[in-house]
Amino acid sequence: MGMDEEAQRSPRSLPVRTADAISRRIASGEWAPGARLPAEPALAESLGVSRATVRSALRRLAEAGAVRIRHGTGTFVSEHGGAIRASLQSLRSTSQLIRDQGHEFEIRYRHRTLRAATEAEAGRLRRSSLPVVLDYERAFLGRRSALAFESGVIAADGLPVGTDAEALTGSIFEFLEPLGMLPDQSLTHVRATHDPDLAWGERRPATPLYLTLEQTQFLPSGTAVSWSATHFVQDQFDFTLIRAA
């Protein structure tokens, strides 16, 4: 069973597409929680990719908490519950975090607008003047409930002239990558939020409690490219942080 046509047409890198394909097979029930995945050679053959690609894809899934790699034993499907597990160490789009877990979801935009930045936004983007920004607000919706709500701005000075804000329809990282604007680092502040007015739409949570990540994302050059505040609905995400002496 190779990767489906949608995965093959995706502009994302081959390891990311391979991770997506494995996630979908886990979500389909092909491998139950706690089950051992086939060995790398068998996965590589079934997916039509190299062992190196499979190894990279499995590392991505392990970082996201979807699988556990036990050296000398194999790779196993995680046995956690319904929460989406995510690592705070890895810079990854919210879309990819959810997709890595095999969850079905949709992204619904409330608005997308090109406008002048406020002074606060210019400060977050490390600009001395007020740049034009692409301002957006969106929600990540699971089958039965909302997973997260997000608002943010993207510095428009790196976007092609004449960019239509409505062209932003899905993952922001996937929107930025073909433009050479994919961030590789972020400065992140984490806090708890209780706000009954934050959610919108028909799948808003009954309890308005969130884990909020405020992030300024940077290009490899050190230029700030975007700022966002993502509010993850309680019990929908399980974030981990690895600490070492």
Side-chain angles (χ1 to χ4, degrees), residues 90-104:
S90 302
L91 177 59
R92 190 169 299 174
S93 73
T94 305
S95 303
Q96 192 62 46
L97 286 176
I98 301 172
R99 190 181 293 120
D100 280 349
Q101 298 296 324
H103 290 268
E104 293 185 11

Side-chain angles (χ1 to χ4, degrees), residues 109-182:
Y109 278 85
R110 194 178 192 182
H111 73 257
R112 290 149 291 180
T113 309
L114 286 166
R115 59 167 176 79
T118 64
E119 290 188 4
E121 290 166 344
R124 292 165 182 157
L125 293 172
R126 311 304 199 259
R127 301 296 202 276
S128 57
S129 58
L130 301 182
V132 173
V133 294
L134 197 167
D135 166 44
Y136 68 89
E137 186 175 5
R138 61 181 181 166
F140 296 84
L141 304 175
R143 287 181 176 179
R144 298 180 180 85
S145 61
L147 303 172
F149 298 89
E150 181 179 279
S151 58
V153 293
I154 301 169
D157 48 16
L159 299 176
V161 175
T163 294
D164 183 356
E166 297 296 317
L168 179 59
T169 58
S171 165
I172 289 176
F173 276 28
E174 290 172 20
F175 172 74
L176 294 175
E177 186 171 17
L179 305 175
M181 296 175 63
L182 187 66

Side-chain angles (χ1 to χ4, degrees), residues 121-127 131 133 153-158 181 183 185-187 215-227:
E121 290 166 344
R124 292 165 182 157
L125 293 172
R126 311 304 199 259
R127 301 296 202 276
V133 294
V153 293
I154 301 169
D157 48 16
M181 296 175 63
Q185 192 174 56
S186 76
L187 178 63
Q215 302 184 84
T216 299
Q217 291 94 8
F218 298 88
L219 298 175
S221 64
T223 301
V225 66
S226 60
W227 174 88

